[in-house]
Amino acid sequence: TVQNLPDGKLLLVWFAISGLFIPKTNYGQVVVFHVYLAPQVSRNRNACIIMMTKRSVPMKSILDSVKLGKLSLANRIVRSATYEGMAKDTGEITPQLLKIYSDLAANKIGLIITSGAYILPEGKGMPGMLGIHDDSLINGYRQLTDQVHLCGGKIIMQLIFCGTQGFIDVPNVYSPSAVPEKLTKRTGKAMRMEDIGLLREAFVDAA
């Protein structure tokens, strides 16, 4: 379905990959494809989302190059952060993940965003999540970025702390408040100012 909204609003297109069709449009700076690879994430594993924002100057093609901050992208196709569940228990990247990201870059995806990488062990929310909580993991990500760059792609890491929205039971996990989370029904430890500072530093260290 396609919903047209007033100027400056969001145009949302939802469709199945099997019927992939991108009409000519004057909408969009960046097109975001969100592909659900894991059955735990979505019942419709073939679903995709395209998000576009309306601009006054028509866009010729999603294959046009574009600047995103300091990044120069070959086109406007973005693979958004998608849970794969293929990392090691330690959060270390695996050959399977290296192949997925290398294949995306080789197939001309302009920008790749990794699946969420937890910044503290207690911030892990699903089995097989990537982690970036320890310096021992850096070499694996260096190999990843080297391979993506070699294929002509650009890659960004999503940093994450799942808290009570995670599906792994972590005792006294940080939470904005001591209120059960609607999705997981878990109640965590309400964060104090010092806890917020510690979590902030963990994000900084991971970055």
Side-chain angles (χ1 to χ4, degrees):
T1 59
V2 179
Q3 184 178 7
N4 288 297
L5 299 174
D7 288 358
K9 299 297 183 181
L10 189 70
L11 174 73
L12 183 62
V13 184
W14 179 273
F15 60 93
I17 297 176
S18 56
L20 180 61
F21 171 67
I22 303 175
K24 291 182 179 179
T25 176
N26 289 342
Y27 287 79
Q29 163 100 15
V30 176
V31 178
V32 179
F33 285 83
H34 195 152
V35 184
Y36 295 106
L37 299 178
Q40 301 97 318
V41 178
S42 173
R43 292 180 181 178
N44 186 352
R45 283 175 286 174
N46 292 323
C48 262
I49 296 176
I50 291 186
M51 291 184 291
M52 311 179 202
T53 54
K54 190 168 184 180
R55 291 169 55 85
S56 57
V57 179
M59 181 179 72
K60 293 180 181 179
S61 166
I62 64 170
L63 301 180
D64 287 350
S65 60
V66 66
K67 285 276 290 184
L68 185 64
K70 295 182 179 181
L71 287 179
S72 296
L73 306 182
N75 57 56
R76 300 157 190 255
I77 302 174
V78 178
R79 188 269 200 176
S80 65
T82 305
Y83 169 67
E84 304 100 356
M86 294 180 179
K88 294 183 180 180
D89 288 341
T90 57
E92 186 179 353
I93 198 159
T94 58
Q96 295 94 324
L97 282 171
L98 287 173
K99 184 177 187 309
I100 285 176
Y101 292 124
S102 297
D103 286 348
L104 286 168
N107 283 281
K108 309 306 180 186
I109 301 300
L111 178 64
I112 301 166
I113 305 175
T114 72
S115 55
Y118 55 91
I119 48 95
L120 288 173
E122 54 267 33
K124 182 178 180 179
M126 299 276 280
M129 280 184 66
L130 291 172
I132 189 61
H133 56 286
D134 191 280
D135 286 351
S136 64
L137 301 168
I138 292 175
N139 283 337
Y141 293 119
R142 183 174 288 117
Q143 183 182 357
L144 168 64
T145 53
D146 287 346
Q147 286 191 204
V148 168
H149 292 165
L150 188 63
C151 295
K154 300 292 174 65
I155 189 164
I156 294 175
M157 174 176 280
Q158 183 192 40
L159 304 181
I160 196 169
F161 183 91
C162 293
T164 53
Q165 288 192 336
F167 290 89
I168 295 177
D169 188 16
V170 179
N172 296 318
V173 68
Y174 287 147
S175 178
S177 61
V179 175
E181 210 285 323
K182 289 183 179 180
L183 178 64
T184 63
K185 313 301 181 187
R186 296 174 59 202
T187 302
K189 173 188 174 184
M191 296 179 72
R192 301 165 298 177
M193 290 300 296
E194 53 265 40
D195 297 326
I196 294 173
L198 289 172
L199 195 56
R200 176 184 178 277
E201 287 304 312
F203 272 99
V204 172
D205 289 344

